[in-house]
Amino acid sequence: MALDPRSLLRAMFDAAVGAADPERCVTAHLPPEPDGRMVVVGAGKAAASMARAVERQWRGALSGLVVTRYGHGVPCRRIEVVEAAHPVPDAAGLAAAARILEMVSGLTAGDLVLCLLSGGGSALLSLPAPGLKLADKQAATARLIASGATIAEINSVRKHLSAIKGGRLAVAAAPARVVTLLISDVPGDDPAVIASGPTVADATTFADALAVMDKYGLEEPAAVVDHLRSGVEETPKPGDRRLAGSRAVLIATARDALAAAAAVARKAGVSPVILGDAVEGEAREVARAHARLARAAAHRGEPAKPPCVLVSGGETTVTLTHTGGRGGPNCEYLLALALALDGEAGVHALACDTDGIDGSEDNAGAVIAPDSLARAEASGLDARASLAGHDSYGFFAALGDLVVTGATRTNVNDFRAILVAGKA
């Protein structure tokens, strides 16, 4: 094959990230200037870059505050940018959330709240419900992530532990109009799940949140379980009149990112097959299923003849069975994929998170090639032991196959591409 597999896969990933660049997607969705005040608030890994895009285009007066992950901030002149912890919240995020709630309180019907939300907003916009402490939310978040719960399940719990999520921010802003611009990182692109839906109605209940804790056998922290059992002050539901002036607009999704990546593949003469933009499940199990598809393409020309590339988005999860390893779901997926492919000739793959951070490490993801396992063995690495110990980061770091981009300041979730090059 004339093309360089690694270069093509990286170009596809870069195109996917570029499709969700706030500088490209915010401007077209800005609302008309209000009669009264314009207050900008927001949270997420893309919140600061979204705020900068607003500032560059907005000619009228505005003020506000957004909170983003440490290292994801960008300079803004009129909108304050606060950095806080993700995925487990910290005091900086709590203080920022309290200030945001205060900023939108006391507005009039002539005022406008522009809310900028993206992936990561749930952890960054963390204001515990009355009776709960930050430590309770921190412990609950860490346990839910380690359990392998889906993002929708985790956020159903978060909304019921919060004084600002699950529509409560929009209620506080009423009677002001609220326009929310969303960069989606969740499978299905449900505005009520993105950043735990602080400005939209919540169809989930305290009982649903408690069922998530029960499903994964989580009985601690006791204060969290007791709060969910109490069911005090349910989140605003669909049809709530207090949310009548709130509107949510999706401005970038995984579907957009996959379409941009597919265009790069076609230009290179490679047939793209989009497996879906909302793939969920245990990372290693998804990898095994994708390996079977790649082998079918290589040997039977199904679902496409080589050269082809199997592309998918969404969010896989990792249920931690051991501690001490390093690596996020994308690297775990790739390590399991390499083992399932077992050196299949002509098959290369990349898996990266579009925010530039796989889990909590400094890499976006990694790449594999037909010789990955052979090179690992020659270096004294045990691929199966690395997978069992959830140490995919160490495995790919030793091979020099990590993909490091730094913070991209956007987030439309995971990007996976398996290139089936065919016979040389």
Side-chain angles (χ1 to χ4, degrees):
M1 193 173 184
L3 56 85
D4 174 12
R6 185 176 292 210
S7 295
L8 174 60
L9 291 169
R10 180 57 190 270
M12 291 177 65
F13 174 60
D14 290 344
V17 172
D21 184 348
E23 294 290 346
R24 295 176 57 181
C25 56
V26 165
T27 303
H29 299 282
L30 289 177
E33 193 168 336
D35 295 330
R37 296 176 57 195
M38 165 77 153
V39 179
V40 180
V41 297
K45 297 172 188 174
S49 52
M50 294 172 80
R52 181 173 62 183
V54 171
E55 280 197 347
R56 287 177 175 174
Q57 296 298 323
W58 195 263
R59 300 304 174 216
L62 61 78
S63 63
L65 183 154
V66 299
V67 56
T68 192
R69 180 175 175 155
Y70 290 118
H72 289 241
V74 297
C76 290
R77 294 181 294 108
R78 294 178 285 170
I79 302 169
E80 183 181 352
V81 176
V82 172
E83 295 187 345
H86 177 278
V88 177
D90 69 356
L94 185 154
R99 290 180 60 198
I100 285 173
L101 202 61
E102 183 179 357
M103 281 181 180
V104 304
S105 301
L107 298 177
T108 69
D111 298 327
L112 173 66
V113 175
L114 181 63
C115 187
L116 310 174
L117 297 178
S118 64
S122 292
L124 296 164
L125 201 65
S126 185
L127 186 62
L132 293 175
K133 299 178 181 179
L134 176 62
D136 298 324
K137 295 199 70 173
Q138 289 171 325
T141 299
R143 284 176 169 84
L144 283 163
I145 292 172
S147 74
T150 68
I151 188 63
E153 290 174 329
I154 293 172
N155 285 0
S156 72
V157 175
R158 283 166 158 164
K159 284 186 279 190
H160 289 88
L161 304 179
S162 176
I164 193 169
K165 294 192 275 284
R168 300 185 194 277
L169 177 61
V171 169
R177 289 190 303 116
V178 179
V179 175
T180 304
L181 303 186
L182 299 160
I183 294 180
S184 174
D185 71 321
V186 303
D189 303 323
D190 184 352
V193 179
I194 302 165
S196 295
T199 61
V200 298
D202 174 32
T204 69
T205 65
F206 275 97
D208 294 327
L210 187 59
V212 171
M213 299 290 285
D214 290 341
K215 177 180 177 179
Y216 294 98
L218 303 179
E219 299 178 351
E220 297 287 339
V224 165
V225 175
D226 289 344
H227 178 79
L228 295 178
R229 285 176 177 158
S230 72
V232 176
E233 195 178 351
E234 185 58 89
T235 51
K237 302 305 174 197
D240 192 311
R241 293 182 179 180
R242 296 172 296 175
L243 302 180
S246 183
R247 179 170 64 93
V249 183
L250 286 165
I251 65 171
T253 67
R255 186 180 299 107
D256 303 323
L258 297 187
V264 171
R266 289 190 193 96
K267 189 174 181 180
V270 175
S271 299
V273 177
I274 297 180
L275 302 177
D277 61 1
V279 174
E280 294 184 281
E282 195 72 19
R284 60 183 68 189
E285 294 175 4
V286 174
R288 294 180 188 119
H290 286 183
R292 290 192 292 271
L293 290 174
R295 285 182 180 275
H299 296 283
R300 301 194 303 274
E302 299 173 352
K305 295 180 180 180
C308 64
V309 60
L310 311 178
V311 188
S312 63
E315 182 174 61
T316 60
T317 53
V318 174
T319 301
L320 294 177
T321 56
H322 294 79
T323 59
R326 298 175 64 193
N330 287 288
C331 279
E332 177 136 335
Y333 165 90
L334 280 177
L335 183 50
L337 183 69
L339 285 164
L341 289 171
D342 194 25
E344 180 71 40
V347 179
H348 303 252
L350 173 147
C352 291
D353 197 316
T354 54
D355 67 5
I357 300 170
D358 184 28
S360 59
E361 302 300 337
D362 60 359
N363 64 312
V367 292
I368 63 170
D371 66 348
S372 292
L373 294 183
R375 288 190 292 118
E377 186 176 0
S379 300
L381 297 172
D382 186 332
R384 295 190 182 279
S386 294
L387 183 61
H390 303 294
D391 192 29
S392 54
Y393 180 93
F395 180 87
F396 289 114
L399 291 182
D401 287 340
L402 293 175
V403 174
V404 179
T405 63
T408 65
R409 297 179 176 85
T410 192
N411 185 17
V412 285
N413 227 311
D414 297 338
F415 173 83
R416 295 173 293 271
I418 305 174
L419 176 64
V420 183
K423 297 179 180 179

